[in-house]
Amino acid sequence: MDDQQTEPDTSTIAEPPRRVWWQRPLPLGLLAGGLALAVIAAGAVSGSIARTPDAPRASAEAAIPSAAPTPEVPERPVPQQTVPAFARTCSVENLIHDPRLGTFQAQVYNADTGEILFERDQDTPRATASSMKILTAAAALNVLGPEYRATTRVVSGPDAGTIVLVGGGDLTLSRLPSGSEPVYTGAAHLDDLAKKVTAARTAAGIREPVRRILLDTTYFGGPTWDPSWPATERRAGWLSHITALQVDADRADPKVFLSPRGEDPVGRAGDAFAAFFPGASTSTGTAAAGATELASVQSAPLSALIPLMLVPSDNTLAEMLGRQVAIKMGTGNTMSAVSQAIPEALKPYGLDTSNLTIADTSGMSPKNAVPPSYLAGLYMKVGAREANLGYIRDGLAVAGQTGTLGYSNRFTGPNAVARGHIWGKTGSITSAYTLGGFIDAADGSTLTFVIYATGRVSESARQGIDTVATAFYRCGNSLSNY
């Protein structure tokens, strides 16, 4: 629902001063060196002229050969005072006390110079909401790599009439016919898998029809739903039960992002697959060790899944990737395994992970806690495209245009001036609203920023955050920390 509260007045924000080339201060080293050379030169000239303090000027000039007259050198103006460094006088102080922002935290860098321009309570870990997905994406890129694909397999069963559908954690697998695009572009399709199974059985000389399909979901273990996640998120279409086998992230309508999710994602997937084998029944089971693989299909690569997760803020996809990271790291295949896996997976980026509390990988849990300074530091590396982090930079929503930053209640009114100039990841849960990413500021500088609004907050925090972010856009490199 669009928030109707009045935006705080931004007219008191000082505009960045206009500067021209002659206003730039001389480097101190160059100025000192010039003065030293002047003193040396003056000494050399005075030493070549034999004169006493009270000698008449005419006698001194007579010692200079007439063939080489001394040219007159015009005096250089002496500056009355040192030219100040770049003036940072653009204050946002009157905006950050907006009651809509609850407990306000932030950090802003000049992305090009690495200077910290602004910060408030930046080192206190608090809930991230969906900004957690930035950490999940970074961990997955490090551990899994941008070419990683999740695989769904079908193997032979205990008898000729039985096959086993083995979930590999690909929650993007679609029940739509090939050629029809679901929410997840580039997804694998069940009909393709079924055709491959039929072809493999025929090639192996198996004439017995498929009478039974076992559904193996053991790749993921433990509870499928975290107690801190509101059950309403399933009905609202934001998150499904996390199982290793499901189709279209268990959406009722595979083409609608916020389509309601069900209570039995494994059953929905089994029924959809069984439709390609008339008369076949389904039940849960486990593939035998060493069972012959009949066919497999794969998800789109991680590099393509990242924007599908970040731009619309797909919670199910984030939980899928987090679980894949934990399995690869060897910490386990349950929801609790991510608490150890994600910080370990992030360590190679060189940022201190000791203050991270990871409860899930979607940000739905209020138990997550990450300092804004950590997230801002990670964004700096994303902006620099370190390792494979450039995939995150290219996978962010754009203010006023795409994803969760394109909603009708984001960057409206006076804040519309920043539309198209801010790339970022939003976060929205009951107790925390966040935004972080990059700003192409009005003065041509690039800022990296993170804003948290936590505690006693509501949906109106989004507009408060947008107002502060727009002020950062207007200030640019003139942003003051006071």
Side-chain angles (χ1 to χ4, degrees):
M1 181 174 66
D2 292 353
D3 180 63
Q4 301 298 323
Q5 293 193 37
T6 304
E7 298 288 350
D9 181 19
T10 59
S11 62
T12 58
I13 300 175
E15 292 294 335
R18 296 182 179 273
R19 302 181 64 80
V20 292
W21 67 269
W22 49 265
Q23 289 180 311
R24 294 178 181 172
L26 288 173
L28 293 178
L30 180 59
L31 181 58
L35 292 174
L37 288 173
V39 171
I40 294 170
V45 172
S46 64
S48 66
I49 301 175
R51 52 181 297 191
T52 60
D54 56 352
R57 184 174 181 85
S59 64
E61 291 174 349
I64 302 176
S66 59
T70 303
E72 291 187 8
V73 179
E75 293 186 4
R76 295 182 179 181
V78 178
Q80 297 301 310
Q81 61 183 15
T82 303
V83 179
F86 193 95
R88 292 200 167 101
T89 58
C90 190
S91 176
V92 299
E93 185 67 22
N94 63 319
L95 302 179
I96 66 176
H97 301 291
D98 184 341
R100 294 179 299 179
L101 296 173
T103 299
F104 176 82
Q105 296 172 274
Q107 190 168 51
V108 184
Y109 281 87
N110 180 310
D112 298 318
T113 67
E115 296 173 273
I116 295 177
L117 305 183
F118 179 89
E119 54 188 15
R120 292 291 187 277
D121 194 17
Q122 69 280 358
D123 294 324
T124 302
R126 288 196 173 92
T128 63
S130 285
S131 287
M132 176 59 68
K133 295 180 177 70
I134 298 296
L135 279 69
T136 301
L141 283 166
N142 175 50
V143 173
L144 304 175
E147 298 305 314
Y148 176 82
R149 298 169 185 261
T151 303
T152 304
R153 302 181 301 127
V154 174
V155 301
S156 58
D159 55 70
T162 302
I163 58 175
V164 186
L165 177 60
V166 184
D170 179 12
L171 312 188
T172 71
L173 178 67
S174 183
R175 65 189 187 274
L176 288 179
S178 296
S180 297
E181 205 68 79
V183 165
Y184 302 117
T185 55
H189 291 260
L190 277 180
D191 62 350
D192 183 36
L193 183 60
K195 289 177 183 177
K196 290 180 177 180
V197 169
T198 299
R201 283 167 53 84
T202 299
I206 302 174
R207 297 186 177 182
E208 181 79 13
V210 174
R211 301 184 185 280
R212 185 171 60 144
I213 302 173
L214 298 180
L215 309 175
D216 187 338
T217 67
T218 56
Y219 190 63
F220 289 174
T224 63
W225 191 263
D226 188 273
S228 68
W229 298 344
T232 53
E233 298 302 309
R234 293 197 299 274
R235 295 191 292 273
W238 281 109
L239 183 61
S240 71
H241 283 281
I242 306 303
T243 57
L245 174 64
Q246 56 185 273
V247 289
D248 303 299
D250 201 34
R251 289 177 172 85
D253 186 338
K255 293 185 177 183
V256 177
F257 181 77
L258 287 181
S259 180
R261 316 301 172 95
E263 298 301 323
D264 182 16
V266 175
R268 192 197 295 271
D271 290 345
F273 191 59
F276 298 104
F277 303 95
S281 64
T282 62
S283 60
T284 57
T286 304
T292 301
E293 181 174 304
L294 299 173
S296 66
V297 290
Q298 293 186 313
S299 70
L302 175 61
S303 58
L305 295 178
I306 283 176
L308 295 177
M309 172 180 66
L310 297 180
V311 173
S313 202
D314 192 304
N315 296 303
T316 306
L317 191 49
E319 293 299 329
M320 161 189 159
L321 294 179
R323 199 72 63 90
Q324 302 281 12
V325 169
I327 292 170
K328 185 73 172 182
M329 293 289 289
T331 62
N333 68 349
T334 64
M335 194 169 299
S336 61
V338 303
S339 62
Q340 178 185 349
I342 298 301
E344 286 295 321
L346 292 170
K347 281 184 177 179
Y349 295 117
L351 300 172
D352 182 11
T353 61
S354 61
N355 287 329
L356 304 184
T357 299
I358 310 297
D360 65 19
T361 52
S362 63
M364 286 288 295
S365 175
K367 297 178 182 179
N368 291 304
V370 175
S373 57
Y374 180 88
L375 191 52
L378 185 57
Y379 271 123
M380 284 291 286
K381 292 179 178 292
V382 168
R385 298 180 180 275
E386 290 188 18
N388 289 312
L389 293 176
Y391 290 107
I392 296 176
R393 178 64 180 83
D394 297 334
L396 297 173
V398 182
Q401 296 180 9
T402 59
T404 54
L405 280 177
Y407 289 169
S408 61
N409 63 349
R410 300 307 301 253
F411 291 93
T412 60
N415 297 331
V417 68
R419 288 186 166 211
H421 298 287
I422 296 178
W423 287 258
K425 180 71 200 77
T426 60
S428 303
I429 59 175
T430 302
S431 58
Y433 290 82
T434 59
L435 177 62
F438 306 92
I439 300 173
D440 283 346
D443 65 356
S445 63
T446 301
L447 308 182
T448 300
F449 78 104
V450 171
I451 300 171
Y452 282 28
T454 60
R456 299 184 66 179
V457 288
S458 68
E459 291 182 0
S460 65
R462 294 188 181 106
Q463 287 72 53
I465 288 173
D466 291 353
T467 298
V468 175
T470 300
F472 292 160
Y473 162 76
R474 289 192 174 105
C475 289
N477 195 43
S478 292
L479 177 62
S480 168
N481 199 30
Y482 303 101

